[in-house]
Amino acid sequence: MLKGVPVSPGTGIGRAFIYRDVSLDYSYRIFSGKEKELERLHEAIKAFKTEWQKRAANLETKMGRKESAIVLGQLILLDDPFLNQEMKKAIDLGQVAEAAVSAATGHVAQMYLSMSDEMMQARAQDMYCIREELIKLLLYGKTISLSELPPGTVFVTEELTHFICANFPVGNIEAILTVTGGKTSHSAILARALGIPAIMGIEDLLLNVTDDALVLVDGTSGEFYVNPDEDILEEGRQKKNEWRENQEALLVYMTRPSMDKDGKSYLVQCNISSLGEAYLAKKYGSDGVGLFRTEMLFMDRQIPPSEEEQLNTYLKVADIMGEKGLVIRTMDIGGDKKVPYLNRQQEPNPFLGFRGIRQSLADPALFGMQIRAVLRAGVQGKNIKIMLPLVTGVDELLEAKSFIEKEKESLEEKGIPFNPHLPVGIMVETPAAVQLASVLAKEADFFSIGTNDLTQYILAADRLNPRMDYLYSHFHPAVLKSIEMVILAAKSQGIPVGICGEAAASPGFIPIYISFGLDEWSVNPAEVPFVRRELSLWDIKDANEVTKKALEFSTTSELSSFLQKEVRSKAFLRSASSLSPR
Ligand code: PEP
Ligand code: MG
């Protein structure tokens, strides 16, 4: 039996597929003569076309013609005579095919970038995409097609990225195992959003699992077995069936209203980071999107998404949500994430560094593009709000608000329609914002408590570091007291307050949120029915009693075992295995 950090509950059994992100370094390649290099290039282009046609057909059946058109568009770009001529020219000059691809695509991308039309500029990103895939084909002879992983796959990798999740066939993935990641890392959040059992932070994972090994993963306990014996496997199968049954039993809450036992209504919304997750949010019957992590739109690419591209995405999500709310959080690109066009320095402590509102205020061009796109989306989008991340004080909030006002003026001058009335709220996720909550509540239109960061900053325990897992816990009484302070401050100023950190779906905290007077939950799509059911079990009298006692504890373990006991006291309505491990 092996162990890691349990991040997404449930049991999965299947064959391991080890995904290794390949290097694009071709510096070791030696020129093999003009003809040979040209032949290599032509082979790679042919393989690219075959693969892309397959992908387009796949996408068309799954998501429709519009999505497949993007892939087909790249095929057309690859046929550009100028691009092909440039590649050939570089080979004629004695460059290896990889270098020829790199130089020619770079040249063409720069040409697109210098054009004034935004649609043309966006093609530069397609060019960079072509470059990457062609170089992979030249170096390895194939691209790894994640979309073709078979049913019953246990996905094993160093780090689960957004790129992977966007490309693998979710329904075929039994479970996920990764080397990096902690409970509230974005990769863990992705696994939960997709409802796939997952264990992360397994240091020696790649030494213990081989391709095609049979793996049993218990994402609730964090335990997994490689090639287990028949007894263990049988036990695993039973657990898996129980888990599935519990999940199915929860599905009735997809269409039930978000209400506590007294009949008081709340909003149970979703955290999303892509269009795909917006569809999931709708599928699970959420009351809207309480947190759209827009930074994902800026990652895995060589140039930032243009104002138009962002506008399109926001409009699509707004369209999926209809009358329900959509809270767009401005980008929060932590220093832990690689974004080539931001040209950022390596920081010794990225989580204490240049991210969130700090970075946005320091990069008016990038921030302006995003704010204008959101303001413009607000014309058609029925119920859009702007949310600012990592605010530490009133000065930052006021500076961001005046920046937004200036962007409104510039849109006005250009005669571009926008919605001037979008509410501007903040994430409360730093201890400074907690302490100043009553002052911030006078300037912010709403609060959303980000317990993922708040917990790491209150406890000085890195949320990504598996070694800090023992300390990093929202059950720490200091976190509980902070949540109380923030909700009370919002209530006293009469602004709505929600919670969007992963602690939002923590069953033990549900009565506490009710008692404090929280208005909105924002959770991963698959957790919507779960939270609704938990809400429905509590009335204010019981919730107040639990909360009063909870506030008396002074250690994480006392508070956590007390709340777990309270949750179990309502267990006659549900089986313990359907509870979130958090
Ligand atoms: C949080 O910090 O709680 C949060 C929801 O934001 P993120 O996880 O994106 O930092
Ligand atoms: Mg955060």
Side-chain angles (χ1 to χ4, degrees), residues 184-186 189 271 291 293 295 329 332 337 351 355 427-429 449-454 463 472 500-502:
T184 62
S185 61
H186 280 167
I189 293 169
N271 296 344
L291 165 65
R293 290 185 166 97
E295 53 275 11
R329 179 178 79 181
D332 181 5
K337 302 200 170 97
F351 271 110
R355 56 172 285 208
M427 304 259 320
V428 180
E429 53 184 347
I449 307 172
T451 49
N452 303 341
D453 277 320
L454 189 56
R463 66 193 260 196
Y472 179 94
C500 63
E502 295 299 292

Side-chain angles (χ1 to χ4, degrees), residues 330-332 355-362 367 388-392 396-397 400:
T330 58
M331 74 199 110
D332 181 5
R355 56 172 285 208
I357 193 65
R358 304 167 186 186
Q359 195 232 326
S360 291
L361 290 174
F367 193 35
L388 307 166
L390 213 77
V391 169
T392 53
E396 275 168 337
L397 172 56

Side-chain angles (χ1 to χ4, degrees), residues 233-305:
L233 207 53
E234 187 44 39
E235 212 179 294
R237 285 190 201 107
Q238 274 175 25
K239 266 196 185 166
K240 184 175 153 176
N241 288 341
E242 275 168 29
W243 167 252
R244 290 258 153 100
E245 280 164 22
N246 273 313
Q247 290 307 100
E248 274 158 28
L250 276 175
L251 296 185
V252 292
Y253 289 91
M254 292 197 308
T255 49
R256 297 217 175 141
S258 308
M259 267 181 190
D260 64 18
K261 210 170 157 189
D262 294 324
K264 183 175 172 199
S265 293
Y266 303 89
L267 290 181
V268 178
Q269 302 188 310
C270 278
N271 296 344
I272 66 162
S273 54
S274 65
L275 200 55
E277 286 173 55
Y279 287 113
L280 275 181
K282 185 170 180 181
K283 175 181 144 191
Y284 283 102
S286 86
D287 299 323
V289 168
L291 165 65
F292 182 4
R293 290 185 166 97
T294 58
E295 53 275 11
M296 302 304 172
L297 306 178
F298 294 78
M299 288 163 56
D300 292 318
R301 46 188 301 148
Q302 303 295 322
I303 52 168

